[in-house]
Amino acid sequence: MILNLLQLSSPALPLGAYSYSEGLETLVEHQIITDNQSLLQWLIQDLKFGAIRLEAAVMVRAYRCVINQDFSQFIYWNQWSTATKETAELRQQSWQMGNTLIQLLVHLEGVKTTENQNLELPPLKNWVEQVGKPCNYAIAFGLGAVYWNLDLKNALLGYLYSWATNLINAGVKLIPLGQTMGQTLLLQLHPEIELTTTAILELKDEDLVSCNWGLALASMAHETQYSRLFRS
């Protein structure tokens, strides 16, 4: 299970996550984020109040839908996730990464057995056919976590860790920061990721809210930014 978790949450997974900065490039350009401390503060605020908290909560619901084999709710949360994206750029990122992960999971099913050892699950393609395209990344990750036999808490930790790693790597390139400082930031985020994981697991559906306007404005501005290293 540990190896499956490491692979599913690895930055090396070929999903294209490294090519997105989620508005970070705009924030650096406008000197809102200028050093390691301002980047750390931004990431902590996002974990507490922002989009990643909402995305991770959707991943949890997708996971539970697969466990319960509830196709209708699985489709519902995919549509809900799309509707809550505040910009076209964030929506396209989620769709591109989700569709790519779905394709990868189906391909890897032919290489290794992906059935959960504790459940009798239908073939992976059944879920793929039901959700169709586009599939959001959080939905695809939740599906993969069940079929790769991950428990929910570890899957959630891996999901948040993967997000933090991607944005810290973007910050290392953009600010710029040294690689050692990047690892220091990631270590400093560990307690926040733990706290956020615990809180998300207790969230009810009616509590799924976020305060995300800073990210939305940065994402919209990034599309027309003069010079860019990352995709919108």
Side-chain angles (χ1 to χ4, degrees):
M1 184 179 72
I2 293 175
L3 290 176
N4 285 348
L5 175 63
L6 290 172
Q7 185 165 355
L8 190 60
S9 58
S10 171
L13 206 66
L15 307 180
Y18 64 88
S19 65
Y20 297 101
S21 76
E22 298 186 19
L24 193 62
E25 189 164 20
T26 300
L27 297 169
V28 173
E29 175 73 14
H30 293 172
Q31 298 187 334
I32 296 171
I33 292 179
T34 57
D35 55 19
N36 59 303
Q37 285 304 311
S38 52
L39 175 58
L40 178 63
Q41 187 62 25
W42 177 267
L43 296 175
I44 289 174
Q45 291 302 307
D46 206 356
L47 283 168
K48 287 182 175 180
F49 309 111
I52 186 58
R53 189 182 187 87
L54 208 58
E55 289 293 299
V58 170
M59 189 281 291
V60 167
R61 280 150 181 77
Y63 181 103
R64 289 170 176 163
C65 286
V66 178
I67 291 289
N68 297 324
Q69 298 189 35
D70 190 337
F71 288 96
S72 63
Q73 281 296 297
F74 189 73
I75 295 168
Y76 167 81
W77 285 113
N78 185 52
Q79 294 171 341
W80 191 92
S81 181
T82 295
T84 57
K85 299 293 185 300
E86 294 175 304
T87 71
E89 292 73 32
L90 294 173
R91 187 163 55 247
Q92 288 297 330
Q93 175 185 348
S94 181
W95 286 350
Q96 184 265 303
M97 291 177 59
N99 292 336
T100 303
L101 180 54
I102 283 284
Q103 293 173 6
L104 183 63
L105 290 171
V106 171
H107 175 78
L108 293 178
E109 193 174 27
V111 179
K112 60 174 287 187
T113 301
T114 57
E115 292 182 358
N116 190 299
Q117 297 174 5
N118 302 315
L119 295 169
E120 287 188 14
L121 295 170
L124 188 58
K125 66 178 183 180
N126 287 21
W127 292 98
V128 177
E129 291 171 355
Q130 286 289 328
V131 75
K133 289 186 178 181
C135 177
N136 287 284
Y137 176 58
I139 299 295
F141 193 99
L143 176 63
V146 175
Y147 274 78
W148 282 26
N149 201 30
L150 305 181
D151 70 72
L152 181 54
K153 183 177 181 180
N154 282 333
L156 184 51
L157 284 168
Y159 187 85
L160 294 174
Y161 174 86
S162 179
W163 166 84
T165 301
N166 179 59
L167 289 190
I168 287 173
N169 285 338
V172 166
K173 297 173 185 176
L174 291 167
I175 292 173
L177 302 171
Q179 294 291 339
T180 301
M181 180 53 68
Q183 291 302 307
T184 300
L185 285 171
L186 189 57
L187 196 60
Q188 289 174 316
L189 274 181
H190 283 188
E192 295 296 336
I193 291 174
E194 286 274 7
L195 288 171
T196 302
T197 295
T198 300
I200 288 172
L201 289 173
E202 296 174 356
L203 282 177
K204 296 180 171 59
D205 291 353
E206 57 267 26
D207 297 326
L208 297 186
V209 297
S210 68
C211 180
N212 207 39
W213 56 268
L215 171 60
L217 291 173
S219 175
M220 287 186 283
H222 188 253
E223 184 181 11
T224 56
Q225 189 168 315
Y226 174 71
S227 176
R228 295 182 300 172
L229 294 176
F230 292 86
R231 296 175 65 179
S232 290

